Amino acid sequence: MVNLVRHEVIRSAETVVIKIGTNVLSRPNDSLDIDRLAALSEQIHAFHEHGKQVVVVSSGAVGAGIGLLGLQGRPKDLPHLQAAAAVGQAHLIRLYNDCLSKHGYSAAQLLLTADDFKHRRRYLNVRNTLNTLFEYGTVPVINENDTVSIQEICFTDNDELAAMVSNLVNSPLLVVLTSVDGLYDGDPNDPTSKVISLVESWDDSLLGFASATRTAYGRGGMSAKLQAIKRVTSVGENVILANGTRDGVLDDVLHGHETGTLFLGSGPLMPAWKRWIGFTVNPKGQLFVDDGAYRALCEKGRSLLPIGIQQVAGQFDKGELVSVTNLDGREFARGLSNYTAKEVRTIAGLRTLEATERLGGLPYEEVVHRDNLVVMPNR
Ligand code: GLU
């Protein structure tokens, strides 16, 4: 039966990001489930037929590599994991290409690290490439570049990668396919627990519903998925979390049928530039501000002036990202600083006139201009 809210969400989504987890694609013997991949590819074709552009974010490389190399379980150390990913990724993308080409599409492989998202130019390059791939009518299939991803530059998991991709292409809908039916209101193994069908607005208490269960080969559990969902709904976009092992799951999404949990975007759509500032780059420092500045930023949409800053932590340059926190250290905003950390330390707490004198000129009245500031009181 068509659900009107779901129908409207999918109707208005020109671009859809579909995240496919390892457990959706793996067979119990650690090989990739080609039948499932074929079925999902057919459904992706249906999205295209309805005028939608699709980006796939797919896990499964490490799992496939484990099977192909005949390993007993997931390796513990990085070089063996990376080797398994290298072997498995080749196989994974070949299967995608085989399945999609039956419907006339090429699979386009993009392997990314978190670093690629943090550098503005690389970030924009990825976006331009994706837009060109859409023009060619191909299906981009993205995975983490596991072979170069060391801790400093890796995503927490592919759920985070999918959320970042979703924000990168301003996708109105992210579909997260996993091996459970959605977000349960209790322990999924308890028969009295039910799948929550609709979450109208994100609330941190939802994190309490995350089951600690970890799956065999994938990295992210339910709490990782919920963090990714929060990242997408916070910018005003929607997410469906559904069971990718159920036949026709993407058809159900496409036709607005009830499946999994729909999380509606909370609040107004955030512009692309602010998504990058608020959810992609890592802050280089912290500005601790007083209550007056907190209210000016959160309630009045103002810029951050030197007078409200009480303390500065970290080292940052002009144009780098800083986190803005209350005096107790609770972060409520992020933005690009017009001044270096040393300069902000010099002018913190001063009125504009005094700050001008102290620095011998004040090119910007604001330390962080509101155009380069993202306020997230519930971060
Ligand atoms: N990049 C990993 C893989 O393809 C998956 C990571 C994850 O599932 O979070 O196996």
Side-chain angles (χ1 to χ4, degrees):
M1 213 180 56
V2 176
N3 170 306
L4 288 181
V5 180
R6 287 172 182 259
H7 190 261
E8 183 50 29
V9 165
I10 187 69
R11 194 199 56 76
S12 53
E14 197 188 317
T15 307
V16 180
V17 176
I18 300 174
K19 192 261 167 174
I20 306 181
T22 300
N23 295 296
V24 174
L25 293 181
S26 307
R27 287 203 184 102
N29 65 356
D30 301 338
S31 63
L32 287 172
D33 188 337
I34 179 132
D35 297 331
R36 180 148 303 135
L37 213 82
L40 291 171
S41 299
E42 194 174 339
Q43 295 169 74
I44 289 170
H45 169 55
F47 273 66
H48 277 239
E49 297 275 275
H50 281 73
K52 313 220 174 280
Q53 304 173 141
V54 173
V55 183
V56 174
V57 175
S58 181
S59 306
V62 174
I66 291 168
L68 291 164
L69 292 168
L71 309 180
Q72 300 302 312
R74 188 181 168 97
K76 301 265 181 292
D77 64 305
L78 200 56
H80 287 87
L81 272 175
Q82 291 177 320
V87 171
Q89 180 64 27
H91 188 58
L92 181 69
I93 197 72
R94 185 168 65 75
L95 288 193
Y96 268 105
N97 200 52
D98 288 351
C99 294
L100 288 165
S101 61
K102 296 212 170 77
H103 305 283
Y105 309 105
S106 292
Q109 174 177 253
L110 283 85
L111 299 177
L112 303 173
T113 65
D115 228 24
D116 297 325
F117 284 78
K118 286 173 190 146
H119 289 88
R120 183 81 187 149
R121 197 181 299 165
R122 273 147 78 179
Y123 182 79
L124 294 178
N125 279 343
V126 177
R127 190 156 77 194
N128 291 341
T129 305
L130 284 168
N131 285 334
T132 312
L133 290 168
F134 292 147
E135 246 173 60
Y136 285 138
T138 60
V139 179
V141 180
I142 302 180
N143 197 355
E144 180 164 7
N145 194 350
D146 289 311
T147 48
V148 299
S149 271
I150 49 162
Q151 198 155 20
E152 296 74 43
I153 57 168
C154 79
F155 301 100
T156 326
D157 44 57
N158 269 16
D159 300 310
E160 185 186 22
L161 169 62
M164 292 229 202
V165 168
S166 198
N167 282 345
L168 172 75
V169 295
N170 290 347
S171 165
L173 177 62
L174 165 66
V175 180
V176 178
L177 296 183
T178 181
S179 51
V180 293
D181 282 340
L183 180 66
Y184 282 84
D185 60 4
D187 179 351
N189 299 316
D190 177 343
T192 62
S193 301
K194 288 198 195 59
V195 170
I196 302 170
S197 162
L198 177 67
V199 173
E200 285 188 49
S201 174
W202 177 267
D203 181 326
D204 274 346
S205 66
L206 290 168
L207 293 167
F209 291 130
S211 147
T213 342
R214 284 198 153 240
T215 46
Y217 294 129
R219 267 191 291 167
M222 186 54 81
S223 52
K225 290 186 189 1
L226 291 177
Q227 290 296 353
I229 289 165
K230 178 178 178 184
R231 194 186 275 258
V232 173
T233 52
S234 306
V235 304
E237 309 287 21
N238 311 294
V239 183
I240 292 178
L241 174 70
N243 191 339
T245 68
R246 275 189 352 92
D247 287 344
V249 61
L250 289 179
D251 283 339
D252 284 340
V253 170
L254 181 62
H255 297 295
H257 295 163
E258 196 73 49
T259 187
T261 306
L262 167 64
F263 299 80
L264 292 178
S266 336
L269 284 183
M270 192 180 281
W273 167 239
K274 293 212 170 183
R275 293 179 190 201
W276 185 72
I277 293 175
F279 295 95
T280 308
V281 206
N282 286 340
K284 289 274 174 62
Q286 261 176 306
L287 306 180
F288 294 85
V289 306
D290 61 21
D291 285 351
Y294 174 83
R295 282 197 302 276
L297 268 55
C298 288
E299 290 162 22
K300 300 185 188 141
R302 300 256 168 86
S303 299
L304 178 62
L305 303 179
I307 191 163
I309 303 172
Q310 300 253 315
Q311 215 186 314
V312 182
Q315 286 308 329
F316 49 90
D317 227 323
K318 283 188 183 41
E320 287 194 314
L321 191 81
V322 288
S323 146
V324 185
T325 71
N326 291 110
L327 295 178
D328 61 9
R330 206 169 42 80
E331 181 183 44
F332 67 89
R334 287 184 178 183
L336 303 180
S337 174
N338 282 332
Y339 293 97
T340 65
K342 192 166 168 226
E343 288 168 333
V344 184
R345 284 192 178 97
T346 310
I347 58 177
L350 302 184
R351 295 185 181 283
T352 304
L353 207 61
E354 294 165 310
T356 313
E357 278 167 15
R358 194 71 67 85
L359 275 191
L362 200 70
Y364 307 94
E365 209 177 311
E366 318 81 15
V367 172
V368 180
H369 191 276
R370 61 184 181 170
D371 289 350
N372 298 325
L373 182 80
V374 179
V375 177
M376 306 163 289
N378 303 318
R379 192 182 180 89

